[in-house]
Amino acid sequence: MKLLGVEKTEQGRTWLYSEWCLTYRVGWDHICRAASLIYEYTSDPEIIVGDAYGETEVTVKESREITGLEESGWLSIRGSSEIIRVPVLITFYNQTDHVRVYVLSANDEFAEADYKNFNLSMCQFMDSVELAMYR
């Protein structure tokens, strides 16, 4: 997965907003597999799905329920990542190669929107997410 860019945003608290490009365009099944893995390693995870007409928060009690979600235009998962140890919001777009990620600037690692340092911090995590799409 390739980091396209990162910038700092102010939305009540400071977040780093980044855009990523997957190796290939992916469909709903791939997105659900990735979200299912992220769900396993996230505290208080929430799933939101939607399309051009609106969004819906989905109640999921176990990660395997994600793979049964009805297809939609996009899927977001948010919560506190146990892997990178900060709150994240990851949005996957159906039938595209595009992923958007918000990471809370809650520690020194994610304090600045520096492309090189952010890529070093997030690239391995995001590559693991992409690999989960094909398991």
Side-chain angles (χ1 to χ4, degrees), residues 22 26-35 46-58 66 69-78 89-102 133:
L22 297 163
V26 294
W28 190 249
D29 291 338
H30 293 99
I31 290 169
C32 288
R33 282 188 219 125
E46 297 175 351
I47 301 289
I48 304 161
V49 297
D51 54 27
Y53 303 105
E55 63 184 51
T56 305
E57 189 166 341
V58 179
I66 295 171
L69 293 176
E70 186 175 327
E71 188 167 355
S72 194
W74 54 267
L75 181 147
S76 291
I77 182 166
R78 65 183 174 199
L89 168 68
I90 302 173
T91 302
F92 301 96
Y93 295 91
N94 196 5
Q95 303 299 321
T96 73
D97 60 358
H98 197 77
V99 180
R100 290 186 174 155
V101 179
Y102 284 90
M133 294 178 171

Side-chain angles (χ1 to χ4, degrees), residues 98-113:
H98 197 77
V99 180
R100 290 186 174 155
V101 179
Y102 284 90
V103 178
L104 185 64
S105 295
N107 60 30
D108 290 340
E109 186 174 16
F110 299 110
E112 295 298 322

Side-chain angles (χ1 to χ4, degrees), residues 7 29 31 39 54 59 64 80 85 88 97 111 121 124:
E7 62 185 52
D29 291 338
I31 290 169
Y39 189 94
T59 302
R64 65 178 171 208
S80 187
R85 296 183 188 98
V88 297
D97 60 358
S121 296
Q124 186 175 0

